Amino acid sequence: GSKEFDRGSQNSKGSSSIKFFQLFEVLGDELFPQIVTGDESWVHHYTPETKRQSMSWIGAGEKAPRKFKTQNSAGKVMLTVFWDMEGILLEDYLEKGMTINATYYCELLKKLRRAIENKRRGKLSRGVLLIHDNARPHVAAETKACLDSFAWEIFSHPPYSPDLAPSDFHLFPYLKAELGGVHFESLDNVKEAVHSFFINQPKDFYTRGIRKLASRYQICLDRGGDYVEK
């Protein structure tokens, strides 16, 4: 069955960092191709620009353009995405008002397994190390049973640690920056924009995101298990 690293109360950033480097010591660079990571994020029909995006050049004597109060629009969709160092494996969209429960998440994991089988020949037999956070649907008994049947290894993600989740520190910030300031008319337009962002990234974009885990866990260790981004 799947081996769960770092059980119980030891599920802290420090012990996760140590577990990561124990794995790295055994597998070396072979660790990174085994990693599959996934996460959820709301994507809004309108996401305000970041401060950097909304800065504009002002000529001498010109007035700065009026800044309107910006906020996320009411239209939104829950994006779940799984990826590895070669690119996106699965993207899923759940409309506002619906929630991800264990049953829904298990169905997604089954789709993910099929996607790996189809898109990454030999990856399943070489072994999959799944990194996902400990949101309730991810750690439910139903989900654990599903993952046990796949015989995947699950790397325990420390609670409240977006700084150690590749989707949070790498994928989503770039995606949100890309969508910033764009108004989408419909859910389909949002999906198209997200999908085209994903497929237009070079493979190196995904490789860097996964490889950054080593430096982030190192910083975490150096800081005695403290938050990476101060």
Side-chain angles (χ1 to χ4, degrees):
S2 69
K3 292 196 282 291
E4 181 130 355
F5 297 104
D6 195 19
R7 289 175 184 278
S9 62
Q10 287 185 306
N11 191 3
S12 67
K13 296 177 90 135
S15 53
S16 286
S17 306
I18 291 161
K19 292 289 180 192
F20 183 86
F21 285 109
Q22 284 172 342
L23 276 177
F24 190 51
E25 211 168 294
V26 174
L27 296 169
D29 269 359
E30 292 303 301
L31 170 63
F32 298 109
Q34 286 190 24
I35 292 172
V36 170
T37 189
D39 215 337
E40 296 93 14
S41 179
W42 285 111
V43 182
H44 292 262
H45 286 206
Y46 174 69
T47 304
E49 291 179 315
T50 60
K51 276 191 184 138
R52 183 173 293 179
Q53 282 174 304
S54 61
M55 281 165 67
S56 49
W57 293 101
I58 301 161
E62 286 180 18
K63 272 189 174 171
R66 193 162 150 228
K67 283 265 173 67
F68 292 95
K69 193 163 183 249
T70 55
Q71 56 193 43
N72 290 329
S73 74
K76 61 180 181 177
V77 61
M78 174 67 82
L79 164 70
T80 303
V81 60
F82 290 95
W83 54 292
D84 65 0
M85 64 192 298
E86 289 182 60
I88 299 295
L89 289 160
L90 182 72
E91 53 189 281
D92 177 77
Y93 301 89
L94 190 69
E95 289 187 53
K96 191 176 129 181
M98 296 180 73
T99 51
I100 293 178
N101 57 22
T103 304
Y104 188 88
Y105 193 65
C106 286
E107 286 308 310
L108 278 185
L109 290 171
K110 287 170 192 166
K111 285 182 192 168
L112 171 63
R113 193 172 187 276
R114 285 195 294 275
I116 294 171
E117 210 167 12
N118 296 331
K119 296 180 180 181
R120 308 280 189 266
R121 289 187 75 90
K123 190 178 179 95
L124 288 177
S125 52
R126 284 193 299 272
V128 169
L129 176 67
L130 180 66
I131 299 181
H132 62 175
D133 66 24
N134 49 7
R136 197 168 291 163
H138 301 181
V139 295
E142 189 177 345
T143 306
K144 286 188 170 171
C146 179
L147 288 167
D148 270 342
S149 73
F150 296 171
W152 290 357
E153 294 196 30
I154 315 304
F155 188 80
S156 268
H157 179 83
Y160 314 113
S161 305
D163 54 322
L164 297 173
S167 299
D168 285 324
F169 68 66
H170 185 74
L171 190 69
F172 292 150
Y174 283 101
L175 171 65
K176 299 284 170 75
E178 176 80 8
L179 303 181
V182 184
H183 285 269
F184 296 103
E185 296 300 313
S186 69
L187 184 60
D188 284 340
N189 294 152
V190 174
K191 290 179 185 177
E192 279 164 30
V194 171
H195 182 68
S196 73
F197 169 80
F198 286 153
I199 60 174
N200 288 326
Q201 299 313 305
K203 185 177 155 184
D204 175 61
F205 170 79
Y206 297 101
T207 305
R208 279 185 293 123
I210 297 293
R211 284 187 165 275
K212 272 186 205 169
L213 268 171
S215 57
R216 291 204 156 227
Y217 269 114
Q218 187 59 59
I219 293 167
C220 185
L221 263 188
D222 296 344
R223 293 189 176 174
D226 202 1
Y227 195 79
V228 172
E229 290 181 303
K230 283 284 185 195

